[in-house]
Amino acid sequence: MDSLRAKLDRKKKPEQGIELQPVSPSAQVKPLLTPSGSAAPMVVIKPQRGPPVTPKLLAAAIIVFLSTLCSLIAFASPYWTKSFDATRNEFLNAGLWESCYYKYRHPRDYYAKEYIGCYWIFSWTMYRLDDWLRPPWFQAVQAFATLSFIAIMVSCILMIAYYLCLKVRSAYQTLMSTAIVTLVSAVFMGIAVIIFGVRGDDRDWMPRPEFNYFSWSFGLAVVASIFAFVSGFILLFEALALRRNTDEEKTNFPKAPRPN
């Protein structure tokens, strides 16, 4: 009788050292059993929140998308350099992948072909002028601009993944990766615009460079590089702040008491 009464008393009294918490409708509740086999008080497991979104992160995301848009337009448009309209130059404009002419004959073209209109740089029409049209420094500009464009696109994908698809435990890694990729894109585009700015008016390249100027596509490339630098540093600082806050939460998180 005494052992039966003791078992009934244990069922009526909750285990010592376990604190009861109110159960919210959105919480997930899991039943636990004590070593003796009796039901323990309900333990509340709070639902995990998504990654934090601060005003700085929102501003960085907007700047990243603006940088991507500027980089895309600069990458595809043929207006990195252009001749003044009043000069009636045979050369009209050129970009990374296309150049335009009006009744232009190149002295190294033994066929004396007259170029009228816009031509893709890698077309069969322009292959005889490839050494003149794509000197080593221009190939470097194309390479760095391409790498920058790929990096900023990856940065956009990572930003979308951060806001829509990720959990808190992977937020820091994604945010830090986004910051690094964005800064890499900024560096590559910065190198591209510096090289083009130094060599774009070379007399061995486009004809009559004194009548040419850097046009709006080149300006968009400069803006894309600046935007990528700004957003990259914002993301870097926010990632470090997120890491610091996460470490503080782990340090201050109360440990569950051991049952007697």
Side-chain angles (χ1 to χ4, degrees), residues 136-172:
W137 66 265
F138 188 77
Q139 295 180 26
V141 172
Q142 289 177 316
F144 281 115
T146 302
L147 293 174
S148 174
F149 180 68
I150 294 174
I152 200 65
M153 291 297 295
V154 173
S155 179
C156 282
I157 295 173
L158 291 175
M159 287 297 298
I160 295 173
Y162 177 83
Y163 281 104
L164 299 181
C165 308
L166 294 178
K167 297 180 180 179
V168 175
R169 57 189 173 186
S170 57
Y172 165 74

Side-chain angles (χ1 to χ4, degrees), residues 50-58 162-163 238:
V53 178
T54 63
K56 290 182 180 179
L57 273 180
L58 197 59
Y162 177 83
Y163 281 104
E238 287 297 303

Side-chain angles (χ1 to χ4, degrees), residues 140-212:
V141 172
Q142 289 177 316
F144 281 115
T146 302
L147 293 174
S148 174
F149 180 68
I150 294 174
I152 200 65
M153 291 297 295
V154 173
S155 179
C156 282
I157 295 173
L158 291 175
M159 287 297 298
I160 295 173
Y162 177 83
Y163 281 104
L164 299 181
C165 308
L166 294 178
K167 297 180 180 179
V168 175
R169 57 189 173 186
S170 57
Y172 165 74
Q173 292 86 347
T174 305
L175 205 57
M176 180 59 71
S177 301
T178 308
I180 294 174
V181 173
T182 305
L183 289 174
V184 168
S185 173
V187 171
F188 284 163
M189 186 60 79
I191 294 174
V193 297
I194 289 174
I195 295 176
F196 193 87
V198 172
R199 301 299 302 272
D201 57 351
D202 195 338
R203 290 188 175 275
D204 294 331
W205 192 46
M206 290 300 167
R208 304 175 69 184
E210 65 274 12
F211 297 130
N212 303 335

Side-chain angles (χ1 to χ4, degrees), residues 1-252:
M1 292 294 294
D2 294 338
S3 61
L4 180 60
R5 186 175 299 173
K7 289 182 179 180
L8 292 176
D9 291 340
R10 282 199 298 269
K11 290 183 179 180
K12 291 180 182 178
K13 296 180 180 180
E15 294 289 335
Q16 296 180 357
I18 300 178
E19 184 180 356
L20 299 178
Q21 299 181 4
V23 180
S24 61
S26 61
Q28 301 175 1
V29 180
K30 293 184 178 180
L32 296 177
L33 297 177
T34 62
S36 60
S38 59
M42 305 304 287
V43 178
V44 177
I45 301 176
K46 297 182 180 180
Q48 193 177 29
R49 297 176 299 174
V53 178
T54 63
K56 290 182 180 179
L57 273 180
L58 197 59
I62 294 173
I63 298 174
V64 166
F65 288 115
L66 289 177
S67 176
T68 305
L69 181 62
C70 294
S71 181
L72 173 62
I73 297 174
F75 186 75
S77 56
Y79 288 95
W80 281 58
T81 181
K82 188 179 184 302
S83 65
F84 291 101
D85 296 333
T87 59
R88 299 183 180 274
N89 195 356
E90 298 172 341
F91 164 73
L92 299 179
N93 55 272
L96 296 179
W97 316 106
E98 188 179 21
S99 56
C100 302
Y101 310 92
Y102 180 71
K103 295 183 178 181
Y104 175 67
R105 287 187 174 91
H106 195 273
R108 298 180 185 177
D109 185 2
Y110 299 107
Y111 295 96
K113 176 180 174 55
E114 188 175 64
Y115 295 90
I116 301 176
C118 297
Y119 300 89
W120 184 42
I121 287 180
F122 298 107
S123 65
W124 286 104
T125 307
M126 304 297 293
Y127 81 96
R128 291 191 299 270
L129 306 180
D130 187 71
D131 293 339
W132 163 75
L133 194 59
R134 296 176 63 246
W137 66 265
F138 188 77
Q139 295 180 26
V141 172
Q142 289 177 316
F144 281 115
T146 302
L147 293 174
S148 174
F149 180 68
I150 294 174
I152 200 65
M153 291 297 295
V154 173
S155 179
C156 282
I157 295 173
L158 291 175
M159 287 297 298
I160 295 173
Y162 177 83
Y163 281 104
L164 299 181
C165 308
L166 294 178
K167 297 180 180 179
V168 175
R169 57 189 173 186
S170 57
Y172 165 74
Q173 292 86 347
T174 305
L175 205 57
M176 180 59 71
S177 301
T178 308
I180 294 174
V181 173
T182 305
L183 289 174
V184 168
S185 173
V187 171
F188 284 163
M189 186 60 79
I191 294 174
V193 297
I194 289 174
I195 295 176
F196 193 87
V198 172
R199 301 299 302 272
D201 57 351
D202 195 338
R203 290 188 175 275
D204 294 331
W205 192 46
M206 290 300 167
R208 304 175 69 184
E210 65 274 12
F211 297 130
N212 303 335
Y213 64 96
F214 299 125
S215 191
W216 55 269
S217 295
F218 178 79
L220 286 178
V222 175
V223 172
S225 178
I226 295 174
F227 280 173
F229 268 117
V230 173
S231 58
F233 279 114
I234 293 176
L235 292 171
L236 179 63
F237 294 144
E238 287 297 303
L240 295 176
L242 179 61
R243 176 67 178 272
R244 186 166 53 251
N245 294 337
T246 304
D247 292 341
E248 290 178 357
E249 289 179 0
K250 290 180 180 179
T251 304
N252 301 328

